[in-house]
Amino acid sequence: MKKTVLFLLALLVMMFSFSVPTTYATNETNELSKANAAKTYRVDFYDGIKYDSSAVKSNLSVAADNLVEVVFNVNAGLDTFTIGYYLGESDFSYETITASIQEAIDNINDDIQHNERVSGNRLVLIEDIELSYFEISPDYLSTRTADSIDDLVNKFVGVKDCNLIGTFVSPQTIDESQLASVTYGAINGSYHHIQVVGTETYIGWYNGLTGQDYLCNANLSSPHGGDGNNRYDSGYQWFPNYVDVDFATNVGTNENQTKLWYKYDQATLNNLNIDSNEALEMEVLFYNYTDPKLSVSEKGSTFQINKSGAVWATNQPNSYRDTTFGDSSNTVSFSIGVSDTTSLVANKWYYWYMNGPAGTTANNYPNDGRFKVTAQRSYRLIGSGAFSVFAEEHEAIRTLGVPVGNNWVVKSAWSYAQAKETWHFDSSKDTVK
């Protein structure tokens, strides 16, 4: 069957100048997508389960051998803060989780007291925070034994819902009757649609800037389930108007911190929220090229390491810690995404921060601590969380504020941290790539 399909695709490419198509998800691809998510489940809990309650202690105890991440939230008045602790492959320890959550609370309170962008909130206590969700994986480590997922979840207290993360679904169809109103250069002038060739159904893409039609090369990591707009190229900015990044050293034992702030004006936020399926990832990416084969001038170590046993916090709504699954070891990524941006408000500062083991300057590489900031417009396929959010395939990830002729910010994160200076981006005057 695959050979037949490939032959048909080759004919299509020659006859219609389409890109290589892939049919909609089948049961087989559904299972592959589940495997990619390492059969990780998200267990959501009802509101009101406080951190110091017996329910939280019981749930953590039950989940201990299978817990990947635990996430809490707290309403501080003006902002609702989300706090997460990513265990990853580290061993479960209630004491370590408690200490890390307290560390996050101390950081939030410091911001409330000293940063006008979140001032006006009331100070947070650990007894105020509520359990939001677990990410659990019965097959997380080969040495672990576990009950079935149903048996495991039934032992939790206060479960609201449980879903397998990363289930693959087909994109929504576009109402063909609406396409007549799309004009050249419109914000939705490029779009996905359903393309039928013979008896096969494919995901098609119309490029409104060139007037050409294509078939999309959909796959598990790029399912083409979004709107297909290329908004920025069509003249519509969708990333924040202002972005600030702060770096700090020694926030914990051998730990550094990266903190990113951003703010939209109303017109730009409107450009982001054209439809109800918009997600956003604002990312700090660190240079980490240490291969011995590279010349000294090319080498550089990351400012911070993203790994198991990390705490994070944000005042973004619908937030999640982005996965590093599939990332290159030559870069180290930090991002807390927003799975539904319709809850974002204009003229409000949002932020996230992540702590992690400090990188090294022991080798004194010339590019130690180099970084760049990127913005990714995304969409959801099902649920929420990193394995349910995908980049819009026809909307390029944008690099913000890197000087012309450079691929990375010239000044290192180490330098910003030492000087206690903030990296700034202003879309009205700074470069966008």
Side-chain angles (χ1 to χ4, degrees), residues 137-275:
S137 178
D139 302 322
Y140 193 61
L141 292 179
S142 60
T143 57
R144 291 180 179 174
T145 60
D147 302 324
S148 72
I149 184 64
D150 290 337
D151 291 337
L152 185 62
V153 172
N154 285 336
K155 294 178 181 178
F156 294 141
V157 178
V159 173
K160 180 180 181 181
D161 200 7
C162 176
N163 290 291
L164 183 65
I165 294 175
T167 305
F168 188 101
V169 297
S170 301
Q172 297 178 348
T173 59
I174 290 181
D175 185 352
E176 299 290 338
S177 66
Q178 297 177 359
L179 300 185
S181 63
V182 175
T183 58
Y184 175 85
I187 194 168
N188 60 347
S190 300
Y191 51 83
H192 281 136
H193 59 93
I194 301 306
Q195 185 77 38
V196 179
V197 181
T199 60
E200 299 290 339
T201 302
Y202 302 102
I203 304 168
W205 182 61
Y206 176 74
N207 185 342
L209 297 179
T210 64
Q212 293 179 299
D213 218 344
Y214 302 85
L215 291 182
C216 296
N217 184 21
N219 53 60
L220 291 174
S221 62
S222 184
H224 286 75
D227 52 50
N229 301 159
N230 54 355
R231 297 179 190 173
Y232 186 70
D233 287 342
S234 299
Y236 299 89
Q237 179 184 324
W238 50 264
F239 46 82
N241 302 84
Y242 306 99
V243 183
D244 289 351
V245 181
D246 297 311
F247 303 100
T249 58
N250 301 316
V251 296
T253 304
N254 195 38
E255 279 191 339
N256 288 351
Q257 182 185 93
T258 299
K259 182 180 292 186
L260 181 145
W261 299 81
Y262 66 88
K263 182 172 71 170
Y264 278 93
D265 66 22
Q266 190 62 62
T268 307
L269 187 59
N270 290 345
N271 289 342
L272 175 65
N273 288 324
I274 293 298
D275 57 55

Side-chain angles (χ1 to χ4, degrees), residues 85-91 140 255 305-311 356-357:
Y85 181 74
Y86 173 57
L87 281 77
E89 297 180 2
S90 61
D91 292 332
Y140 193 61
E255 279 191 339
I305 301 169
N306 190 354
K307 62 181 296 185
S308 303
V311 67

Side-chain angles (χ1 to χ4, degrees), residues 168-169 171 192 219-228 275 277-281 320 338-339 376-382 385-386 388-394:
F168 188 101
V169 297
H192 281 136
N219 53 60
L220 291 174
S221 62
S222 184
H224 286 75
D227 52 50
D275 57 55
N277 188 8
E278 299 287 353
L280 176 71
E281 292 182 359
Y320 62 92
V338 181
S339 62
Q376 175 181 297
R377 194 171 73 84
S378 308
Y379 61 88
R380 299 176 309 283
L381 282 182
I382 189 170
S388 296
V389 175
F390 296 82
E392 284 281 355
E393 290 85 358
H394 306 286

Side-chain angles (χ1 to χ4, degrees), residues 52 69 106 115 138 145 271 327 341 362 365 369 384 411:
D52 60 352
E69 188 158 22
D106 292 343
N115 196 309
T145 60
N271 289 342
D327 287 355
T341 63
Y365 292 144
S384 60
K411 192 173 177 179

Side-chain angles (χ1 to χ4, degrees), residues 287-301 330 365-367:
Y287 191 99
N288 194 45
Y289 288 81
T290 58
D291 191 321
K293 298 177 183 177
L294 295 173
S295 65
V296 173
S297 63
E298 296 174 296
K299 291 182 179 180
S301 297
N330 291 331
Y365 292 144
N367 294 305

Side-chain angles (χ1 to χ4, degrees), residues 254 290 300-303 358-369 414:
N254 195 38
T290 58
S301 297
T302 182
F303 169 77
T360 179
T361 56
N363 298 304
N364 198 30
Y365 292 144
N367 294 305
D368 286 343
W414 291 103

